[in-house]
């Protein structure tokens, strides 16, 4: 079943897109929890990281490389940032289209809550 992120991919609903290529899209989180909070998603509909397979190896790599490119382009690479993938209930995943949060612009506490 498709999610709201599919509507963002298809440009049916607006989002603040900062990066897009053939395989990956990145847009601002609507409920930012850090000064810099974007989501990087595969255009392919994958529900959770559990549903990714070896066929998605390159796609998963593209997501990570998109993250570091976005960090560099937005000058948060040297101060640092965090990449987060929430999976299922215990991590609080709310949208079942795989996404990676890129969080930065402030000191992030560890361990996460
Ligand atoms: P997660 O808890 O990892 O599933 O995160 C889902 C994220 O998607 C949350 O941080 C939401 O704020 C964000 N989100 C939900 N709907 C939208 C939307 N239409 N545009 C941008 N971000 C969204």
């Amino acid at each position: 079943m498709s999610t709201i992120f599919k509507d963002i991919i298809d440009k049916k609903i607006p989002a603040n897109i900062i990066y897009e290529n053939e395989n990956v899209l990145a847009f601002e989180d609507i409920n930012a929890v850090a000064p810099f909070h974007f989501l990087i998603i595969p255009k392919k509909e994958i529900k959770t990281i559990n549903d990714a397979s070896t066929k998605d190896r390159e796609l998963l790599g593209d997501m990570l490389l998109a993250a570091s490119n976005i960090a560099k382009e937005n000058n948060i690479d040297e101060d640092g940032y965090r990449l987060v993938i929430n999976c299922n209930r215990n991590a609080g995943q709310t949208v079942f289209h795989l996404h990676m949060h890129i969080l930065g612009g402030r000191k992030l506490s560890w361990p996460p809550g």
Side-chain angles (χ1 to χ4, degrees):
M1 200 176 71
S2 287
T3 70
I4 196 156
F5 289 177
K6 175 68 173 150
D7 290 336
I8 292 175
I9 292 166
D10 293 341
K11 312 281 162 54
K12 288 184 182 156
I13 66 163
N16 182 14
I17 293 171
I18 51 158
Y19 184 88
E20 180 166 16
N21 69 23
E22 204 186 339
N23 301 318
V24 168
L25 182 71
F27 52 93
E28 192 168 19
D29 195 296
I30 206 167
N31 186 25
V33 297
F36 191 92
H37 187 177
F38 285 79
L39 301 171
I40 301 164
I41 69 171
K43 290 189 174 173
K44 177 178 174 183
E45 291 186 281
I46 300 172
K47 271 194 259 177
T48 78
I49 190 64
N50 292 336
D51 299 297
S53 73
T54 50
K55 278 184 288 183
D56 301 312
R57 191 191 305 270
E58 196 175 332
L59 184 57
L60 297 173
D62 284 350
M63 289 172 67
L64 285 168
L65 291 172
S68 68
N69 285 332
I70 289 166
K72 286 171 198 156
E73 280 164 13
N74 291 278
N75 299 312
I76 61 164
D77 55 322
E78 285 193 12
D79 282 345
Y81 57 95
R82 184 171 295 161
L83 302 176
V84 174
I85 295 175
N86 291 320
C87 183
N88 283 338
R89 213 171 30 247
N90 274 0
Q93 183 175 2
T94 57
V95 179
F96 288 85
H97 180 127
L98 176 63
H99 52 280
M100 184 163 63
H101 298 254
I102 176 168
L103 297 153
R106 68 170 169 83
K107 181 101 175 102
L108 299 163
S109 58
W110 189 263

